[in-house]
Amino acid sequence: MIVLDKKEQDYLLDTIRSVHDFPKPGIIFRDITTLLNNKEAFKFLIDHLQKRYESYGLDHIVGIESRGFIFGAALAARLNIGFVPIRKPKKLPYITISQKYTLEYGVDEVQMHIDAFCGKKEAKVLLIDDLIATGGTAKASVELIKQANANCVEACFIINLKELKGESEIAKLTKIYSVLEV
């Protein structure tokens, strides 16, 4: 498996801004916009992901709204495969399938077009997002991919917030790769 060494991880981590007390006191927000606007770092990251996934025989990359779109679309273009967005309700214009998930105080939902994988049964899919925290959205996204008769071969996150343990539930459903762990 292709992974980054400590020096390469530190390089990428140094390009991500930490914003304290955002969006509320006690939270440290990991701002990836500083990685995205650093052309060398962004290229380095996408090059790494391309090397890791080019031998997987993927049919599609699925990105979670909205920052997963950035990494997913760039990687899909590099791998010359399709990109599929997973979105919040009422954002997609065609017939959708949905998956609900629980939040600390309520329920939310993700959706995908019913024909997202072009009718291919058991399409090999990579799920990608910028960050995994508690894992609710990612878990619902993996379940949504399965609902569409596709095979989520791995879930990739640029950053894993380890103390929140979100990866534990997703690991029951698919393999996980986190480029960086904080």
Side-chain angles (χ1 to χ4, degrees), residues 1-179:
M1 283 293 154
I2 296 172
V3 298
L4 295 180
D5 64 30
K6 177 79 168 106
K7 183 178 175 185
E8 293 167 325
Q9 290 174 6
D10 289 344
Y11 166 66
L12 286 178
L13 279 170
D14 287 345
T15 69
I16 297 168
R17 177 175 30 214
S18 295
V19 180
H20 292 265
D21 299 321
F22 182 82
K24 61 184 184 177
I27 303 290
I28 300 173
F29 185 84
R30 306 299 173 175
D31 180 10
I32 61 155
T33 63
T34 50
L35 182 154
L36 296 173
N37 69 24
N38 179 324
K39 66 183 181 183
E40 290 86 11
F42 186 62
K43 181 182 182 313
F44 177 79
L45 174 62
I46 298 301
D47 286 348
H48 166 65
L49 293 174
Q50 179 183 5
K51 286 176 197 158
R52 179 176 175 86
Y53 292 111
E54 62 193 356
S55 67
Y56 276 55
L58 297 169
D59 297 303
H60 290 86
I61 305 279
V62 175
I64 301 173
E65 184 173 343
S66 66
R67 293 177 296 267
F69 294 0
I70 298 164
F71 301 106
L75 182 57
R78 283 283 191 89
L79 295 175
N80 196 31
I81 59 176
F83 173 76
V84 174
I86 286 185
R87 303 211 59 193
K88 299 291 184 184
K90 300 183 189 231
K91 300 282 186 173
L92 294 169
Y94 189 62
I95 302 165
T96 59
I97 54 176
S98 302
Q99 183 67 44
K100 293 184 186 218
Y101 60 100
T102 56
L103 300 168
E104 188 175 354
Y105 298 106
V107 176
D108 210 342
E109 182 177 352
V110 288
Q111 296 183 334
M112 181 173 61
H113 279 141
I114 196 165
D115 60 353
F117 303 120
C118 307
K120 183 170 184 170
K121 297 273 188 218
E122 309 222 2
K124 290 176 75 177
V125 173
L126 171 72
L127 177 68
I128 194 165
D129 204 4
D130 68 322
L131 182 136
I132 181 164
T134 61
T137 307
K139 182 176 182 244
S141 296
V142 172
E143 290 169 345
L144 188 59
I145 290 165
K146 290 182 181 209
Q147 185 182 348
N149 297 314
N151 178 21
C152 183
V153 298
E154 193 162 88
C156 175
F157 305 97
I158 308 309
I159 302 169
N160 177 10
L161 300 179
K162 291 219 36 113
E163 71 181 38
L164 297 177
K165 299 180 173 129
E167 76 275 8
S168 63
E169 285 299 309
I170 297 154
K172 295 174 185 174
L173 301 173
T174 190
K175 293 178 187 172
I176 297 174
Y177 173 58
S178 299
V179 179

